[in-house]
């Protein structure tokens, strides 16, 4: 079957595993102890909004669900200059489990309502040593990578690779560097 797929130009799709988001709290401990990076408490889900009332209602339901608990962190929706929508959760840096649960809920809600094709990534932000970076989960690949912007259209590849190496034993890290998307002006970075 692999030969036939190669001949016809088809590639095997990688199944995502949204439960991998629940590995982030332990990865955060590794980043803190091994490299001095602390979670900022900000997490986000990036997706392409679908036209129509069904998507609008789904997005409203998701934000209402997350805002329902008075003790829950604030949730906001914004758009970037590339046309992607970001649902951002500004939570407690000490509650990584809660943040990851919220991000998981957003992803699974969009999936359950038939909008999985618009999901791009989820991101949790870390900071330390005067540098911030996002630990990014690629929805369609089921893998993580680090994105460390240093200015307009510039990134710190050494930090990104160092984070990859530190977390390789804990998270499914993206091995194809060409898939490490630049998330310029992403909320929280």
């Amino acid at each position: 079957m692999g030969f036939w797929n190669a001949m016809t130009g088809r590639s095997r799709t990688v199944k995502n595993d949204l439960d991998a988001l629940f590995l982030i709290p332990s990865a955060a401990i590794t980043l803190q102890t091994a490299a001095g990076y602390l979670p900022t408490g900000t997490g986000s889900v990036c997706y392409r909004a679908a036209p129509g009332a069904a998507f609008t209602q789904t997005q409203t339901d998701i934000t209402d669900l997350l805002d329902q608990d008075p003790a829950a962190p604030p949730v906001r929706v914004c758009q970037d200059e590339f046309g992607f929508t970001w649902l951002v959760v500004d939570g407690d840096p000490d509650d990584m489990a809660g943040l990851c649960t919220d991000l998981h809920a957003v992803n699974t809600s969009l999936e359950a309502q038939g909008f999985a094709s618009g999901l791009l990534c989820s991101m949790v932000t870390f900071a330390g040593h005067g540098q911030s970076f996002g630990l990014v989960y690629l929805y369609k690949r089921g893998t993580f990578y680090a994105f460390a912007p240093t200015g307009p259209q510039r990134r710190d590849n050494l930090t990104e690779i160092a984070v990859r190496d530190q977390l390789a034993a804990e998270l499914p890290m993206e091995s194809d560097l060409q898939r490490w998307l630049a998330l310029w002006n992403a909320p929280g970075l």
Side-chain angles (χ1 to χ4, degrees), residues 16 18 44-51 55 58-59 62 78-80 82-87 106-122 137-141 181 183:
N16 73 50
L18 286 173
S44 54
V45 176
C46 180
Y47 50 90
R48 183 162 309 276
F55 183 83
T58 298
Q59 184 172 277
I62 291 169
C78 57
Q79 283 208 298
D80 65 19
F82 304 107
F84 287 97
T85 301
W86 291 82
L87 191 142
V106 172
N107 281 286
T108 55
S109 296
L110 288 170
E111 230 180 25
Q113 295 302 316
F115 300 111
S117 64
L119 285 166
L120 179 64
C121 65
S122 296
Y137 175 76
L138 287 172
Y139 177 80
K140 289 178 176 54
R141 301 277 299 165
L181 305 172
L183 301 173

Side-chain angles (χ1 to χ4, degrees), residues 76-105:
R76 58 191 160 95
V77 177
C78 57
Q79 283 208 298
D80 65 19
E81 67 235 44
F82 304 107
F84 287 97
T85 301
W86 291 82
L87 191 142
V88 183
V89 179
D90 294 309
D92 179 1
D94 295 328
D95 186 14
M96 288 300 293
L99 177 63
C100 292
T101 300
D102 290 344
L103 298 179
H104 189 276

Side-chain angles (χ1 to χ4, degrees), residues 142-182:
T143 56
F144 290 88
Y145 70 95
F147 174 64
T150 58
Q153 308 297 311
R154 297 188 63 175
R155 62 197 291 182
D156 183 351
N157 297 116
L158 293 177
T159 296
E160 294 171 353
I161 290 171
V163 169
R164 177 197 64 188
D165 294 345
Q166 288 164 344
L167 299 180
E170 294 186 51
L171 299 175
M173 300 303 290
E174 178 58 54
S175 59
D176 184 354
L177 298 181
Q178 293 180 352
R179 296 193 185 269
W180 290 24
L181 305 172

Side-chain angles (χ1 to χ4, degrees), residues 129-140:
H129 315 291
Q131 169 80 44
S132 66
F133 69 89
L135 184 59
V136 181
Y137 175 76
L138 287 172
Y139 177 80
K140 289 178 176 54

